[in-house]
Structure formats: C-alpha cells, structure tokens
Amino acid sequence: MARFSTVLLGFLFLCLSTVAWAQTEDMKYKDPAEPVNVRVWDLMRRMTLEEKIGQMAQIDRTAATAEIMKNYSIGSLLSGGGSVPRPQATAQDWVNMVNDYQNGSLSSRLGIPMIYGIDAVHGHNNVYKATIFPHNVGLGCIKDPELVKRIGAATALEVRATGIQYAFAPCIAVCRDPRWGRCYESYSEDHKVVQEMTEIISGLQGEIPAGSPLGVPYVGGKTKVVACAKHFVGDGGTIRGIDENNTVIDVQGLFDIHMPAYYNAISKGVSTVMVSYSSWNGKKMHANRALVTGFLKHILKFRGFVISDWQGVDRITDPPHANYSHSLEVGINAGIDMVMIPYNYTEFIDSVVESVNNNRISMSRIDDAVFRILRVKFMMGLFENPLADYSLVDQIGSQEHRDLAREAVRKSLVLLKNGKSADKPVLPLPKNASKIFVAGSHANNLGNQCGGWTIEWQGLGGNNLTVGTTILSGILNAVDSGTEVVYSENPDAEFVKSDNFSYGIVVVGEPPYAEFGGDNQNLTLPEKSLNTIKNVCGAVDKCVVVVVSGRPVVLEPYLSEMDALVAAWLPGTEGQGVADVLFGDYGFTGKLSRTWFKSVDQLPMNVGDAHYDPLFPFGFGLETQPTTSS
C-alpha cells in the first residue's frame, strides 16, 4: 500500500509540474519577443474584472503601500505637487521609494508593474537640487523647437534618475487671457507657436521610429519618459481666465485655436493625454464623449491612454463627488482610461465593478481602457525593466543641464525698452561701472524667480527651497572685481538718493502661484514693488527694471520712469542667465509670445483681434549685440 501511494504521489507531482510548465510556457505576456498586441491580449485574458479596474486607478503615493499595490493591482501612482519621500530627498531616496511600491506590484498575482507619474513641468520640479528650467511662457519667447527638445531630454534624464517613468508634461494649452493662473504653463496665445514647442515631446520620449503608425505611443528606452499632452481641450480659453471654468467658443474657434497642438503631439507619438477640468460651452470635458472618444481616439487615431486630472471625474458634478458612481460612469464612458482618484481606491474599484455588473459601463469599454494602459507599459519596456537603479542619480542638477537652463534663460528674456530715446540705449550695462544699486523683491529670491510648481505645488519664496543662482548672485558674478554692488530689497527714496549710483537694477514681479491660486483679475504688481520702482528709478540716472512674472502685468503709469525694461518671465534656478544678457555677454533676442496689454480692461486681447491695441504687440522684442568691452 505504501509503495502504491508513493507511485501515485509521484504521478500526481509529474502531472502538476507538467501543467505548471505548460502554463509558464504559454504566458506570452512575459515574452519580450512577442508583439506588443499579442502580449496585451494574453495578459488581459488572465485578468479578473477587479484587476482590470485596478489598472485604471492612479493614486497618490500617500494613499499607497506595497501591500496595497499587490492586493489591488493598482495601475499607477503619482506624486502630487510637494508629495515627496522626505524633505530634501535625494535621487536615491526617490529610487528606493518607487522601487518599494514597484516590488509590491510585481508580487501581485500577475506581476503587472505600475507606472509612476509626476508633474515635471519645468524640469523635475518636485525634486530638491533638480534643474529648474524657465516656465513655458518664457520658452515660447525663444521659438526654438530644437532647444525645447533638448530641455525635454534633460528633464527625462532627471526624472528617470529618481526611478520615475511618467511626466505630466507638456502643457499645450493656448492661453488666451493672462488672468488665468496657469498662463505661464502655456507657450503662447498663438497656436502656431505652441505647435512648434510640441517638439519637447520628442525630447521627453525620444524620436518615433520611421514609418511608425499615426497615434501609436512611443518611449525610446530607459533614459526617456512617458509624456502627457494636457489639458484636452480648450483650457486656455476660459471666461475671464478663471481656472477650471467654461470656454465659450464655436466649433471652428475650438478647432482653429485650441486643438492644433494635439495633432502635432499625436504625430510625435505622445503616450498619454490628460483631460481638462474646464468645460466647453457648458459641457465638462471629463464628460465629453464626442471629443474624447469621437475625435481624439477615433478621428485623430490616438492609441495611448487618456488620463483624468486630479479628482477631475469627481468634479463632473457640482459639488464634486456628489454622485460619484454617476461621475465615474459618465467619465469612463466618455473615454477616460485611467482615473487620477487620487486617494479612495476601494470606493473607485467597488463602484466601477458595480457599474459593469449592472451594464452601465460596458465590458468592452473597460477592455479598451486596460488595453491602452497595458500597451503603453509594454511599449516602454516596463515589464522588462520595472525596477530602477542608481545609474542616473548624478543627472539631478548636473552642470550640463544647468548650462542648458542658463542658455534658455538668456534666450527667453525680452527687452521691451532700452533707453528713453533710440539713440541712447542703456543696455548692455558696463561691467566696470563704479557702483550699481540692486533692489526689489525678486533680486535675491530663488523661490520667486522659479514660481509655482517648484518643490511645492504653489511654489515658495526664499532661498532655502532648492539649489540655484539668484539674479543678484548672477550680477555679482558678472561685474568686474572693482565694481561695487549694493543691494537693498525695499529701499526708501532718501537712501537711494544718498549715494552716487551709476546704475540701478530693480527686479520685481509676482509672488509664486499655481493653477487657481494664480487667477488674478487685476494683474498689478505688489505695492512694495511699485514703490521700489518709483524710489529707485526716481533717484538713479539710469534705471533698469526686470519683471519676473508668469504673464504680462500692468506697467502703466510707471513705464515712463524706467530707462530700460526686461521681461524675464519665471527663469528658474539659473539666474545667472539674466546677468549674462544685462551685461552683454550675450545679446537680447527673445520675442513676445504673448500680447502685453495696456490695461486689464482690454482683456481678453490677442493678436489678430479687431480691438488690438497693445502696449507691446505679439512678436515684439528689441535686440542688442553682445559686447566684449566693459
């Protein structure tokens, strides 16, 4: 009897081993030699409904653990603005954190890796010591697609250095009203400029292979990231520039102004598209099936995945989350594939399961969403290389990237006024001037010159948030050793008059802000800044004003008091680039990518409008030649 039992057990073991071997051999989704579509379908046929819906979920890192990633098959994590492993976290800290979550995903039943996303909108801006490039409003003034492509490639390297594979960039909004708090995320009021700047996608993701089918996503290896064209569509055209509001425009206007950059993004193989919070003629974009599915997916042949904005599905109702199951049904049926929840994943999964079981969301819609998400994951090589290492950590804030950012700063500067008469220019300034007075809230403030989306979501003032060079430091580095530079943030007129300054440089601007935090119906500079302009320009014979802002601001009636005026936008960490041009190492070349209005009463006002009467028109920018003499 014992002998029979041994033989039987051996036979059963052999049978089970054969079955297990056959199952392993048949797992085509694990075989990189198989075509992507074959791998996707093979994986999907093994997935439960709950696992599929888990792949459609993106949650914030603060709501996740490795165990949650394993048990719920969560498809994606993100860091919202300011969501970091620890204050001043190193690249190694980031890699360790991402890998911890990833190991949870890999230990799930099917071992589907998650994808980690982050708002790297002007460099890897959540990360301490990362290179912070000028915001898009400044890059649009350069109108150099190749430079923007290089910035995309540098950003991709720094993002990958932290183990992250997905950047929520670029923003390809066409900002038509500078009162909008996200206007600095837009390259221009002119869709043609924005279209040119989509070349950043080729830097982030890599050049698509020759002959690649239209709309198929592409990421070219472990030094590139998944990009995200946002926010689909019309977010830059809301009434009075109010964030998340209603864009009132006819079909022709929407397609002529706000849609064209999406054609370019899709032709460059962009992998994801993020839906806008805003509405079009009263209909929420997160609920707009005609545009998300009908136009983006069917007409434009977009084959990547569509992602919601942060709690964007919740906001289909007013108040948000008032009828969550309804919102999910409307949003997912509209064509949203991945939902940025970002916290309550169990509510999301349970609600979508219930909607599918009751035929309010079709199984084919779920399968389409999951297919698109998995196609991006397979295409980018995530299944073969799910875990990051430390090989790229030295890319964070590398000198090469800082040099590139400095180049972008000096090329983005727009010279709006240079001398009170054309034959007596003030700029470039001599490096050997005997005494230069520097003043203003933004002269020695790294946070102010970086703006929003820098370390924290809304940004921070001061010099302790990250590493970089202030404009004052740049000035000190630029002048000759014998030149005395005196700095006072908010001097009174008597102090300025009490000394014999050769030149005054006033650096003022907007405090940091992001999204609705920056909505502003007045667009005036702070009172202290205006007083500083009056006190310095009223007392120094030759006064240069540098405006650090995310958009044009009110300059009248102060323009006449300025001898020279420079729009520096939000230059980022490399303030030396401003001094490079002020003191003539390089010439001014930037041209306005936005109309500079006289009064907010004129807004919205864009080039081509019948009532066009700007202070400085679109495309304006004085030029200077570099000088080697001081």
Side-chain angles (χ1 to χ4, degrees):
M1 186 68 179
R3 183 176 181 276
F4 176 78
S5 299
T6 302
V7 171
L8 181 61
L9 286 171
F11 177 73
L12 289 171
F13 176 77
L14 178 62
C15 289
L16 291 171
S17 298
T18 302
V19 170
W21 176 82
Q23 287 177 337
T24 303
E25 284 295 296
D26 196 38
M27 286 186 177
K28 293 182 180 179
Y29 80 92
K30 293 189 174 183
D31 184 357
E34 293 283 354
V36 166
N37 284 5
V38 171
R39 299 179 75 184
V40 174
W41 284 123
D42 181 68
L43 177 54
M44 285 183 62
R45 71 182 178 86
R46 304 170 189 276
M47 297 173 70
T48 66
L49 175 59
E50 288 78 7
E51 286 170 330
K52 289 179 178 179
I53 295 169
Q55 284 298 299
M56 296 171 65
Q58 184 180 68
I59 64 176
D60 188 79
R61 54 167 286 279
T62 58
T65 64
E67 197 69 15
I68 288 168
M69 303 304 291
K70 172 186 175 181
N71 293 339
Y72 291 91
S73 192
I74 301 295
S76 183
L77 288 180
L78 84 152
S79 276
S83 181
V84 299
R86 65 174 181 84
Q88 299 187 355
T90 65
Q92 290 92 332
D93 291 330
W94 281 92
V95 168
N96 293 340
M97 179 195 71
V98 174
N99 281 350
D100 181 56
Y101 293 125
Q102 190 68 283
N103 280 318
S105 295
L106 297 175
S107 64
S108 64
R109 186 178 74 88
L110 293 169
I112 305 172
M114 63 87 184
I115 185 172
Y116 198 109
I118 198 164
D119 285 281
V121 298
H122 63 142
H124 199 7
N125 46 258
N126 263 19
V127 176
Y128 183 65
K129 291 187 178 180
T131 308
I132 306 299
F133 293 93
H135 267 298
N136 289 354
V137 65
L139 298 183
C141 296
I142 305 172
K143 299 180 181 66
D144 183 348
E146 190 59 33
L147 177 63
V148 169
K149 179 180 174 181
R150 289 160 54 204
I151 289 171
T155 300
L157 278 172
E158 297 207 15
V159 171
R160 280 288 197 168
T162 56
I164 295 171
Q165 321 95 343
Y166 182 12
F168 303 132
C171 177
I172 55 175
V174 182
C175 175
R176 304 289 285 178
D177 193 324
R179 291 174 290 188
W180 185 36
R182 304 193 80 147
C183 203
Y184 64 71
E185 296 184 55
S186 169
Y187 293 106
S188 179
E189 70 189 42
D190 181 358
H191 70 84
K192 292 188 289 293
V193 175
V194 179
Q195 287 180 273
E196 291 178 359
M197 297 300 101
T198 59
E199 189 62 17
I200 195 171
I201 293 168
S202 299
L204 290 164
Q205 294 192 161
E207 295 279 1
I208 59 172
S212 180
L214 180 66
V216 174
Y218 175 75
V219 176
K222 293 192 289 184
T223 61
K224 300 297 181 181
V225 295
V226 169
C228 181
K230 64 183 190 181
H231 307 84
F232 188 84
V233 60
D235 51 335
T238 57
I239 296 170
R240 297 189 301 280
I242 297 171
D243 193 36
E244 304 182 22
N245 208 298
N246 190 23
T247 296
V248 178
I249 193 170
D250 61 19
V251 173
Q252 190 73 41
L254 185 78
F255 280 77
D256 285 352
I257 296 171
H258 298 285
M259 192 68 78
Y262 287 93
Y263 310 152
N264 299 76
I266 290 166
S267 72
K268 290 176 167 62
V270 73
S271 297
T272 72
V273 170
M274 184 181 291
V275 181
S276 176
Y277 285 128
S278 59
S279 303
W280 175 44
N281 294 337
K283 187 172 184 64
K284 291 276 191 180
M285 280 307 310
H286 275 75
N288 197 318
R289 189 176 191 280
L291 285 177
V292 176
T293 294
F295 191 76
L296 178 63
K297 291 184 174 181
H298 292 169
I299 302 299
L300 296 187
K301 308 296 184 187
F302 174 61
R303 296 291 179 261
F305 67 80
V306 175
I307 186 169
S308 80
D309 210 331
W310 178 283
Q311 294 179 331
V313 170
D314 303 49
R315 301 185 202 189
I316 288 173
T317 59
D318 185 19
H321 208 81
N323 189 342
Y324 189 50
S325 60
H326 168 75
S327 294
L328 286 172
E329 289 163 12
V330 171
I332 291 171
N333 285 329
I336 294 170
D337 303 311
M338 182 176 282
V339 177
M340 192 183 296
I341 298 171
Y343 300 118
N344 198 337
Y345 53 89
T346 55
E347 181 189 23
F348 167 78
I349 294 170
D350 291 345
S351 183
V352 178
V353 167
E354 196 269 338
S355 293
V356 173
N357 288 337
N358 287 281
N359 299 315
R360 293 192 297 272
I361 300 174
S362 69
M363 197 63 223
S364 63
R365 173 75 271 271
I366 298 295
D367 284 343
D368 173 60
V370 177
F371 187 96
R372 289 168 175 274
I373 293 163
L374 292 178
R375 174 161 48 197
V376 170
K377 290 185 177 184
F378 279 115
M379 170 275 307
M380 64 184 290
L382 192 59
F383 279 76
E384 284 66 60
N385 297 288
L387 296 170
D389 56 34
Y390 302 137
S391 61
L392 296 174
V393 295
D394 61 348
Q395 295 293 328
I396 294 292
S398 71
Q399 191 59 51
E400 181 181 358
H401 295 168
R402 292 188 182 278
D403 290 344
L404 175 61
R406 182 172 171 179
E407 176 187 353
V409 171
R410 57 182 180 248
K411 289 181 175 178
S412 69
L413 303 177
V414 180
L415 181 58
L416 299 174
K417 181 178 181 180
N418 192 17
K420 293 184 176 176
S421 62
D423 58 339
K424 291 184 178 180
V426 175
L427 296 172
L429 298 174
K431 294 182 179 181
N432 64 353
S434 60
K435 188 178 289 189
I436 296 174
F437 184 62
V438 180
S441 55
H442 288 54
N444 190 37
N445 194 308
L446 192 63
N448 282 356
Q449 75 185 39
C450 288
W453 288 112
T454 308
I455 305 300
E456 297 286 350
W457 172 40
Q458 292 287 329
L460 292 167
N463 289 328
N464 297 321
L465 78 167
T466 191
V467 173
T469 304
T470 66
I471 295 171
L472 175 63
S473 296
I475 292 169
L476 291 168
N477 291 334
V479 299
D480 288 351
S481 57
T483 297
E484 183 182 355
V485 176
V486 177
Y487 168 69
S488 176
E489 183 174 338
N490 297 301
D492 59 42
E494 293 307 311
F495 174 80
V496 182
K497 291 175 183 176
S498 67
D499 220 322
N500 187 27
F501 293 111
S502 310
Y503 298 92
I505 302 174
V506 180
V507 189
V508 291
E510 296 184 295
Y513 57 82
E515 299 190 54
F516 51 83
D519 284 358
N520 188 327
Q521 297 299 306
N522 300 315
L523 295 180
T524 52
L525 292 172
E527 191 66 30
K528 278 187 176 180
S529 294
L530 298 176
N531 289 335
T532 301
I533 292 172
K534 288 187 288 186
N535 291 344
V536 177
C537 292
V540 178
D541 185 44
K542 293 179 180 177
C543 179
V544 179
V545 174
V546 178
V547 177
V548 176
S549 66
R551 51 203 164 186
V553 292
V554 174
L555 294 175
E556 295 290 22
Y558 307 98
L559 182 59
S560 60
E561 300 181 32
M562 308 172 192
D563 294 289
L565 173 63
V566 177
W569 313 113
L570 296 170
T573 51
E574 307 313 303
Q576 184 75 51
V578 177
D580 286 341
V581 187
L582 289 179
F583 290 91
D585 289 328
Y586 297 85
F588 282 94
T589 57
K591 306 293 180 183
L592 286 179
S593 63
R594 299 208 52 80
T595 297
W596 205 295
F597 57 88
K598 294 176 180 176
S599 163
V600 291
D601 296 333
Q602 297 174 296
L603 299 177
M605 178 177 65
N606 295 282
V607 62
D609 288 352
H611 65 289
Y612 199 66
D613 182 28
L615 183 63
F616 300 107
F618 174 89
F620 179 80
L622 302 172
E623 296 189 12
T624 62
Q625 295 300 314
T627 175
T628 54
S629 60
S630 52

